[in-house]
Amino acid sequence: ISVLSDEKTRLERIKLRDNLSDSEAKNRISAQKDDNFYIEKSDFLVYNNSKDTNDLKIQIENIILKIRS
């Protein structure tokens, strides 16, 4: 299972969480594997672009249902 978010969301979260500048946060993101790596390697994907945790809950519940079936 991989959790992905768009680059803008990821950038803002990293800056806020780690108190980084734009360039520092962009450097950190560029050091990570790109989304295609996770898309190809993962059995399930969770997209976390919202501040609404209900959306995450729905995605996770759907994954659990698929795993159990």
Side-chain angles (χ1 to χ4, degrees):
I1 297 174
S2 292
V3 180
L4 302 174
S5 62
D6 61 59
E7 187 170 340
K8 180 181 175 189
T9 302
R10 200 175 320 160
L11 184 67
E12 289 304 315
R13 288 177 179 163
I14 291 170
K15 286 171 41 181
L16 185 65
R17 183 191 68 212
D18 297 338
N19 196 29
L20 299 176
S21 68
D22 272 350
S23 62
E24 291 170 322
K26 286 178 182 177
N27 285 341
R28 184 170 294 178
I29 290 171
S30 68
Q32 298 172 349
K33 296 187 184 302
D34 69 7
D35 288 354
N36 288 329
F37 172 84
Y38 297 102
I39 291 168
E40 291 172 7
K41 301 288 184 188
S42 299
D43 293 322
F44 300 99
L45 297 170
V46 174
Y47 292 95
N48 184 12
N49 290 316
S50 174
K51 292 181 180 180
D52 179 12
T53 57
N54 191 50
D55 181 51
L56 285 175
K57 182 179 176 184
I58 291 168
Q59 290 183 71
I60 293 167
E61 287 172 348
N62 286 332
I63 290 171
I64 291 169
L65 288 172
K66 289 178 183 177
I67 291 171
R68 288 184 175 166
S69 64

